[in-house]
Structure formats: C-alpha cells, structure tokens
C-alpha cells in the first residue's frame, strides 16, 4: 500500500503523502494522502476495523484514477481538497495467527489493533478493549468527543501535552455480559451523558483525530463492512450497500430509536446543528438514490443511526460542522455467504466516486430535500453496530 501511495503522490503535483503515526502493536506506518486543491475539504478514513479492507482498496482506486487522468477529473480536483487515511488499523489488517492449528501463522486479519491495556492507561479496562487472542482496542470506540476542537487553546508550560484534553466528568459503569464483568466509560459533557465514550488511548485514533483537525473537513466519510443481508428473514431489506447520515435534534422525531424512554443524546447527536444535519442527510440520500437508480448494485438501504460516542463520525464531525457519511458494504471477510470481494470493492468505489462528484458540483446539495433520506429503506429492525 505504501508503494501504491508513493506512486500516486509522485504522479500528481498537488498530492502530498505524510506518515501521521504508527500502529500500537506492529509499529506499522499510518499514512495520510491529500489530493486536490479545492475549497471544500473532505476527510475520509477506511479500515478502522482491520478485517474490513474493501474501502481501502476502493479509495486507492479512486485516487489513482484522479491523478492519472486529471483532465477528466478536474471538477473533483479543483473543487475539493481530499484527505484520505487509508487502512487506519494496520495491526488488525496484518494480524497473523495459527487459527487452523497447522503450526503456521497465516494472515487472518481482525477487527481490533494489538495493544495491551495497562493499569496507568485508565481507571478500569474499558469494554472496547477486546478481541480473540491477545486483546486490543476497537478503534471505532476509542474516539473522544470531548477532546479539543480545532483551534482551541492548548495548555501551555510544563503541563503542555500534545494530546487533546478531555473535558467533562468521567464515570465508569459496571455491567454483566455473557457472564463477564465489563466497564463502560461514560462522560458528562455540556449537560449530556455520553454513554460509551472513547478515551483516545490508541496511537491510531490519535493520528486520525489529528489528521481530521488539520484537514478541517466540510464532509467526513468513513467506510465499514456490515453483516450479510438477511435475505428472507422478516421484512428486512438485504442490500449490498447501506449509507448512514449523522444528525442532530432537529431531526429527533425521524431518528430510528425516537419514542423510546431514552434520553435525546442516545437517539441523536446534540452537537450536530440543524444545517449540518441537513447537509449530511441530503448527501447520503443523494448518493444512495444515484447508486440505486443505476441498477448496478441493487437497492441501497440506510443504516439505523444512533450516536456511538467512541466513533469517528459522532466524535469528530460536530467539531467542524462536517456532513457525516458512513458506508457499510455487505459481508465481514470471514462470514459465510459473504459476497464476492471484488463486488464489495466495486460498489465502494462507485459510492466514493459519486460522493466526491456530488460534493464537488454542489457542496451543500441545496436542491435535495433532507427528508428524502428517511424514505430510504431501513437496513434492519433498528440501530446497528458499526
Ligand atoms: Zn467496521
């Protein structure tokens, strides 16, 4: 991948490649590639979960196309500054293990990074430190929504730290799951209780968050793999691709978990303002409709949204009022009936391209009605993990 990124960077006069960090376990580089010179900033991260590689491959294809053929892609390259962090979790992507017991360690990949929890890291071992084999962190649970916003004053003097300061007060909640006692990290912040808040304990998440702060994006995009569509089970709509917008209280009543006894901050993200919510909903709806009407990939569903405080989207997008967008392509790598890998890459590539074209031609998608998003079929019975 590094070779590939260097080739892209060498080909284009306005592409820059930086190493923004190293992974916790393997000490592998984490890369950031920037292409384009436009006014609208787009930040895109793939493979926070190591066993979800299709987005990385797809975005590499897209940036290769952009720099190989700058004339044909002039609208994107002149309209956008695209910052990509491909494969944010090399530990998980390159994870080796002797799963079949034949005495050889093979590359099997996994969701988490490879990082031990140490007593000095946090008061309790957080519940998102998990995984088969040596435990590691689920990186899409480690983001901290209370960390400093871009441009916020940094502490000075001897107490200065390069790590953004967390705000609010911390609480730990103990609970039982499958006979195990687990600790969830919650935070009270600006009057809200953020349940399952990340601690930014991993170097990977620190690097992605820092890349985000420097990019100051207007649009924030992340890519994951979901469980295979459950064909024939109830009325659920199986789909190759789902999209998900992040939104705030102005669309509270349309949120999938609205009406439960839950507090508003467990149903929508109270830090996402009305205008940003609208842009997020419009963008997701627009791209989903375009892809669905192309007929190439079947129906495109929406993934049930509720805030996930340790995630990239919920923790970072409010900081720059970025329209948030999540893609979920069907099938974990190790799942039975998982669709052909080439098709996962193909649909992801098409989705990325359509998104970049849409944002380049009209960053606010002003012609689109935000409520169209809620007309997309909902992926399954309720909010879904990501
Ligand atoms: Zn994922």
């Amino acid at each position: 991948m590094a070779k590939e990124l260097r080739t892209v960077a060498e080909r284009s006069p306005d592409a820059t490649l930086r190493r923004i960090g190293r992974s916790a376990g393997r000490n592998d580089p984490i890369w950031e590639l920037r292409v384009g010179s436009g006014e609208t900033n787009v930040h895109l991260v793939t493979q926070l979960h190591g066993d979800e590689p299709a987005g990385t491959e797809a975005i590499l294809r897209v940036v290769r196309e952009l720099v190989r053929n700058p004339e044909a892609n002039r609208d994107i390259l002149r309209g956008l500054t695209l910052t990509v962090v491909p494969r944010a979790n090399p530990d998980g992507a390159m994870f080796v293990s002797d799963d079949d017991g034949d005495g050889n360690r093979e590359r099997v990949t996994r969701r988490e990074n490879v990082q031990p929890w140490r007593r000095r890291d946090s008061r309790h071992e957080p519940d998102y430190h998990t995984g088969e084999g040596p435990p590691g962190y689920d990186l899409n649970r480690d983001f901290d929504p209370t960390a400093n916003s871009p441009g916020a004053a940094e502490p000075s003097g001897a107490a200065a730290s390069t790590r953004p300061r967390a705000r609010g007060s911390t609480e730990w909640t103990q609970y039982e799951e499958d006979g195990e006692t687990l600790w969830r990290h919650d935070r009270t912040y600006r009057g809200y209780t953020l349940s399952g808040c990340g601690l930014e304990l991993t170097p990977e998440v620190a690097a992605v968050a820092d890349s985000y702060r420097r990019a100051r994006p207007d649009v924030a995009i992340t890519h994951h793999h979901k469980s295979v569509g459950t064909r024939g089970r109830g009325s659920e709509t199986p789909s190759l691709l789902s999209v998900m917008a992040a939104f705030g209280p102005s669309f509270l009543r349309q949120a999938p978990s609205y009406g439960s006894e839950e507090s508003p901050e467990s149903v929508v993200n109270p830090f996402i303002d009305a205008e940003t919510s609208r842009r997020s909903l419009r963008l997701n709806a627009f791209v989903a409709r375009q892809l669905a009407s192309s007929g190439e990939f079947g129906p495109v569903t929406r993934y049930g949204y509720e805030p996930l405080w340790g995630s990239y989207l919920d923790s970072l997008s409010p900081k720059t009022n970025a329209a948030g967008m999540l893609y979920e392509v069907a099938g974990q790598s190790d799942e039975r009936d998982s669709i052909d890998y080439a098709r996962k890459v193909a649909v992801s590539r098409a989705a990325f391209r359509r998104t970049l074209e849409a944002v380049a031609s009209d960053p606010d998608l002003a012609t689109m009605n935000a409520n169209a998003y809620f007309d997309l079929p909902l992926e399954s019975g309720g909010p879904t993990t990501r």
Side-chain angles (χ1 to χ4, degrees), residues 351-368:
F352 288 151
R353 270 218 72 108
R354 302 260 174 165
T355 308
L356 298 179
E357 284 162 11
V359 176
S361 69
D362 177 9
D364 296 327
L365 297 167
T367 55
M368 185 90 195

Side-chain angles (χ1 to χ4, degrees), residues 24-198:
R26 294 173 46 94
N27 203 36
D28 280 342
I30 297 163
W31 298 104
E32 178 199 85
L33 179 72
R34 190 168 285 181
V35 292
S37 54
E39 275 190 10
T40 303
N41 297 321
V42 177
H43 194 262
L44 191 152
V45 61
T46 66
Q47 222 171 343
L48 280 161
H49 294 139
D51 55 354
E52 301 177 350
T56 301
E57 195 145 335
I59 196 61
L60 286 177
R61 278 188 201 185
V62 171
V63 290
R64 206 157 49 205
E65 289 161 13
L66 295 180
V67 303
R68 273 196 190 150
N69 204 344
E71 268 315 301
N73 293 293
R74 203 167 53 171
D75 290 353
I76 293 176
L77 292 169
R78 297 262 174 93
L80 308 180
T81 298
L82 171 64
T83 304
V84 181
V85 181
R87 190 170 292 158
N89 182 4
D91 277 7
M94 306 304 289
F95 186 67
V96 290
S97 166
D98 180 16
D99 278 12
D100 54 10
D102 69 352
N104 298 315
R105 277 149 50 95
E106 284 112 23
R107 184 177 166 199
V108 292
T109 76
R110 71 175 204 168
R111 184 178 175 94
E112 304 82 8
N113 76 351
V114 180
Q115 181 178 347
W117 176 77
R118 297 154 303 184
R119 235 158 236 298
R120 65 171 185 274
D121 292 336
S122 53
R123 189 159 151 213
H124 300 284
E125 181 179 2
D127 53 4
Y128 65 92
H129 190 250
T130 175
E132 300 284 315
Y137 288 100
D138 182 334
L139 301 186
N140 210 34
R141 304 292 183 272
D142 191 42
F143 287 91
D144 179 0
T146 72
N148 283 354
S149 306
E154 289 292 326
S156 57
S161 159
T162 52
R163 230 169 87 181
R165 281 179 305 169
R167 303 280 170 85
S169 68
T170 275
E171 296 132 44
W172 289 88
T173 306
Q174 198 181 36
Y175 65 98
E176 301 277 324
E177 200 177 80
D178 302 328
E180 240 191 306
T181 301
L182 298 169
W183 288 95
R184 189 183 67 228
H185 171 241
D186 302 332
R187 218 187 305 262
T188 304
Y189 176 66
R190 289 163 61 180
Y192 299 103
T193 302
L194 313 184
S195 176
C197 206

Side-chain angles (χ1 to χ4, degrees), residues 48-49 51-52 111 140 223-226 328 332 386:
L48 280 161
H49 294 139
D51 55 354
E52 301 177 350
R111 184 178 175 94
N140 210 34
H223 182 283
H224 288 266
H225 290 216
K226 61 180 179 173
E328 291 276 357
Q332 299 287 347
R386 50 192 195 264

Side-chain angles (χ1 to χ4, degrees), residues 95-366:
F95 186 67
V96 290
S97 166
D98 180 16
D99 278 12
D100 54 10
D102 69 352
N104 298 315
R105 277 149 50 95
E106 284 112 23
R107 184 177 166 199
V108 292
T109 76
R110 71 175 204 168
R111 184 178 175 94
E112 304 82 8
N113 76 351
V114 180
Q115 181 178 347
W117 176 77
R118 297 154 303 184
R119 235 158 236 298
R120 65 171 185 274
D121 292 336
S122 53
R123 189 159 151 213
H124 300 284
E125 181 179 2
D127 53 4
Y128 65 92
H129 190 250
T130 175
E132 300 284 315
Y137 288 100
D138 182 334
L139 301 186
N140 210 34
R141 304 292 183 272
D142 191 42
F143 287 91
D144 179 0
T146 72
N148 283 354
S149 306
E154 289 292 326
S156 57
S161 159
T162 52
R163 230 169 87 181
R165 281 179 305 169
R167 303 280 170 85
S169 68
T170 275
E171 296 132 44
W172 289 88
T173 306
Q174 198 181 36
Y175 65 98
E176 301 277 324
E177 200 177 80
D178 302 328
E180 240 191 306
T181 301
L182 298 169
W183 288 95
R184 189 183 67 228
H185 171 241
D186 302 332
R187 218 187 305 262
T188 304
Y189 176 66
R190 289 163 61 180
Y192 299 103
T193 302
L194 313 184
S195 176
C197 206
L199 291 145
E200 211 174 282
L201 292 173
T202 62
E204 294 88 344
V205 163
V208 171
D210 189 46
S211 162
Y212 184 97
R213 288 177 194 110
R214 276 183 287 102
R216 293 171 179 258
D218 305 293
V219 177
I221 303 170
T222 177
H223 182 283
H224 288 266
H225 290 216
K226 61 180 179 173
S227 290
V228 169
T230 45
R231 220 171 289 271
R233 205 175 68 192
S235 59
E236 291 169 3
T237 310
S239 70
L240 190 53
L241 186 80
S242 305
V243 296
M244 192 194 80
F247 53 92
S250 48
F251 291 89
L252 179 71
R253 283 161 187 276
Q254 286 98 320
S257 8
Y258 175 72
S260 60
E261 301 294 297
E262 309 290 330
S263 57
E265 66 265 37
S266 61
V267 175
V268 292
N269 187 325
F271 311 122
I272 302 179
D273 65 29
E275 179 50 31
T276 306
S277 300
R278 273 196 294 275
R279 284 197 296 122
S280 176
L281 294 165
R282 285 176 191 153
L283 180 60
N284 282 271
F286 182 79
V287 173
R289 277 188 170 185
Q290 274 214 333
L291 285 169
S293 66
S294 80
E296 248 183 293
F297 304 107
V300 177
T301 53
R302 76 185 146 102
Y303 215 53
Y305 173 68
E306 69 180 25
L308 183 62
W309 293 113
S311 73
Y312 167 86
L313 225 47
D314 282 304
S315 113
L316 294 179
S317 71
K319 296 190 187 298
T320 61
N321 294 329
M325 182 158 202
L326 172 115
Y327 291 110
E328 291 276 357
V329 69
Q332 299 287 347
S333 332
D334 61 350
E335 210 167 39
R336 206 164 58 91
D337 300 332
S338 182
I339 56 152
D340 176 41
Y341 180 66
R343 202 149 158 76
K344 292 183 211 184
V345 176
V347 69
S348 305
R349 178 197 154 273
F352 288 151
R353 270 218 72 108
R354 302 260 174 165
T355 308
L356 298 179
E357 284 162 11
V359 176
S361 69
D362 177 9
D364 296 327
L365 297 167

